[in-house]
Amino acid sequence: MRDFALEIEQRKRDGLYRSRRLVSGPQKPELVADGAELLSFCSNDYLGLANHPGNIATLRDALAETGLGGAASHLVCGHHDAHHQLEQRLAAFTRRSSALFLSTGYMANMGVISALAGRGDTIFSDRLNHASIIDGCILSRARVRRYGHGDVAALERMLAETSGHKLVVTDGVFSMDGDIAPLKELARVCKAHDALLVVDDAHGLGVLGPQGRGSVLEAGLSEDEVPVLIGTLGKAVGTSGAFVAGPEVLMDYLVQKARTYIYTTAMPPAVALASCASIDLIEQDDARRAHLQALIARFRSGAQQLGYQLMPSHTPIQPIMVGDNHAALALSRALEGQGILVTAIRPPTVPEGEARLRVTLSAAHSEEQLDRLLQALAQCRSLLPEQAAQEPVAV
């Protein structure tokens, strides 16, 4: 029998061991984790809506009307009018014809990709796509070809030499680097080579684009240019679940074919209504996004002045490159010793030799809280490996 304990010990020696934290209370910048009060900079609650009193009130009021559980799959008796209302709201918000509400972003990518491509087809996937996209490609049993990160020229060459049904899938915002896919160029080559473009905008929805409508609309692209849009509600929206949006014929096809939609119990209807309320907030609150952008600029300026190596991101995802697994863990622990929670991200989540601290900012953070992070980073700079440190920039 396989020695699982030995593998765990090896992970510890390699600096790859993962452990869970026990969080008490609501998700917000000031967290209680494992009994300690910490200032968190590692949440995906980009707009600070996970604990918004209006969303909580909507959920509480909806429970009395809808009950708690979904009780059955959407195709049995679980498709509540609250789910339908959310799907219509999501379609309107993303300016698409139709939408489907799914349980998680992982299930959305697994179900959509494996439904839209199969044996004999070819999927083209960015090398830095999220694990859920990778697993959806594997599940499809289609031929999978990976192109270099954001390398549209390489993708176009691959498309030109490939016949049959072709699917191109990419993150809108890459979750570990924070950069944005070259969506206009991807849409152009997909149109030229008759490929279906799928964009997972899990980290762009709510943050980018007009009224937070996402990276696809920030790029000025229509449903015709990007036929399939996937998004999650557990990040900037602050609730739970996921969706896919696009032409009605494709959504109908997914109802027939997407196994992760067909064979699972529907989400609690009250959560769907709370998500509608949260989307209303996102659409109306440009000030929240403006504050977030100001925090991003302030962080980048301060961290670079301290000599930290940042990645070229202008989204709330601001990775600090470290390189070595153990050094990344040491930096994370040193920050925690000063009351700051920033997790170390290590392989296989990121490539070998690219361990990092993934700083994420939220509109719920104040400038004073951000300054606390920068002060803590100043105290911990000596822990950086030589190759990860840069000369501090004079102010």
Side-chain angles (χ1 to χ4, degrees), residues 209-334:
Q211 295 81 50
R213 299 177 197 271
S215 64
V216 171
L217 284 170
E218 181 179 63
L221 298 171
S222 67
E223 180 177 278
D224 179 62
E225 294 164 303
V226 181
V228 183
L229 173 68
I230 296 170
T232 57
L233 305 177
K235 296 179 173 64
V237 180
T239 58
S240 186
F243 70 94
V244 55
E248 288 187 17
V249 65
L250 281 181
M251 297 306 102
D252 188 24
Y253 184 81
L254 292 172
V255 169
Q256 315 305 315
K257 299 280 288 186
R259 294 167 68 87
T260 59
Y261 179 80
I262 298 167
Y263 298 110
T264 193
T265 299
M267 287 285 284
V271 171
L273 293 178
S275 298
C276 288
S278 193
I279 292 166
D280 290 344
L281 289 171
I282 290 171
E283 198 172 51
Q284 299 161 9
D285 200 347
D286 284 335
R288 196 177 293 265
R289 278 180 291 280
H291 174 62
L292 178 58
Q293 287 301 317
L295 291 176
I296 293 168
R298 188 184 184 100
F299 171 77
R300 291 189 64 84
S301 174
Q304 288 171 333
Q305 286 173 14
L306 292 170
Y308 282 94
Q309 182 182 342
L310 303 181
M311 300 190 74
S313 165
H314 296 283
T315 69
I317 301 166
Q318 293 293 319
I320 297 174
M321 287 299 296
V322 178
D324 179 74
N325 297 336
H326 295 284
L329 285 170
L331 181 56
S332 176
R333 288 167 183 156

Side-chain angles (χ1 to χ4, degrees), residues 44-366:
N44 293 329
D45 182 24
Y46 301 129
L47 295 179
L49 299 179
N51 193 40
H52 191 280
N55 293 342
I56 293 171
T58 299
L59 178 64
R60 184 181 58 244
D61 294 344
L63 284 169
E65 180 181 341
T66 67
L68 179 56
S73 71
H74 287 274
L75 297 183
V76 179
C77 64
H79 191 60
H80 196 277
D81 58 11
H83 299 137
H84 189 64
Q85 181 179 331
L86 174 59
E87 289 175 346
Q88 291 181 315
R89 187 71 183 87
L90 287 166
F93 181 66
T94 58
R95 294 178 177 165
R96 294 184 159 253
S97 304
S98 186
L100 293 179
F101 179 38
L102 293 97
S103 298
T104 69
Y106 215 108
M107 291 177 70
N109 278 328
M110 293 276 283
V112 171
I113 295 168
S114 62
L116 295 178
R119 293 187 188 277
D121 301 329
T122 308
I123 301 174
F124 300 85
S125 177
D126 189 291
R127 283 192 176 274
L128 294 188
N129 275 341
H130 188 265
S132 59
I133 294 176
I134 295 169
D135 288 354
C137 293
I138 294 170
L139 183 65
S140 74
R141 298 184 177 88
R143 180 189 184 201
V144 180
R145 301 191 65 184
R146 299 170 71 196
Y147 60 91
H149 179 50
D151 191 342
V152 179
L155 171 63
E156 186 162 26
R157 289 193 295 272
M158 292 179 183
L159 289 169
E161 64 189 27
T162 305
S163 60
H165 177 56
K166 293 171 278 192
L167 195 75
V168 174
V169 60
T170 182
D171 279 305
V173 176
F174 289 87
S175 61
M176 293 299 125
D177 288 28
D179 60 329
I180 303 170
L183 295 176
K184 285 185 178 180
E185 292 82 2
L186 290 173
R188 175 185 60 79
V189 300
C190 286
K191 183 69 71 175
H193 296 278
D194 193 27
L196 183 64
L197 180 56
V198 178
V199 175
D200 175 9
D201 206 23
H203 296 272
L205 191 77
V207 175
L208 302 177
Q211 295 81 50
R213 299 177 197 271
S215 64
V216 171
L217 284 170
E218 181 179 63
L221 298 171
S222 67
E223 180 177 278
D224 179 62
E225 294 164 303
V226 181
V228 183
L229 173 68
I230 296 170
T232 57
L233 305 177
K235 296 179 173 64
V237 180
T239 58
S240 186
F243 70 94
V244 55
E248 288 187 17
V249 65
L250 281 181
M251 297 306 102
D252 188 24
Y253 184 81
L254 292 172
V255 169
Q256 315 305 315
K257 299 280 288 186
R259 294 167 68 87
T260 59
Y261 179 80
I262 298 167
Y263 298 110
T264 193
T265 299
M267 287 285 284
V271 171
L273 293 178
S275 298
C276 288
S278 193
I279 292 166
D280 290 344
L281 289 171
I282 290 171
E283 198 172 51
Q284 299 161 9
D285 200 347
D286 284 335
R288 196 177 293 265
R289 278 180 291 280
H291 174 62
L292 178 58
Q293 287 301 317
L295 291 176
I296 293 168
R298 188 184 184 100
F299 171 77
R300 291 189 64 84
S301 174
Q304 288 171 333
Q305 286 173 14
L306 292 170
Y308 282 94
Q309 182 182 342
L310 303 181
M311 300 190 74
S313 165
H314 296 283
T315 69
I317 301 166
Q318 293 293 319
I320 297 174
M321 287 299 296
V322 178
D324 179 74
N325 297 336
H326 295 284
L329 285 170
L331 181 56
S332 176
R333 288 167 183 156
L335 288 172
E336 188 169 346
Q338 298 192 50
I340 305 291
L341 180 61
V342 184
T343 52
I345 307 296
R346 295 150 290 154
T349 307
V350 294
E352 292 287 343
E354 295 187 15
R356 65 197 67 180
L357 264 61
R358 181 179 180 267
V359 174
T360 53
L361 301 171
S362 169
H365 286 123
S366 66

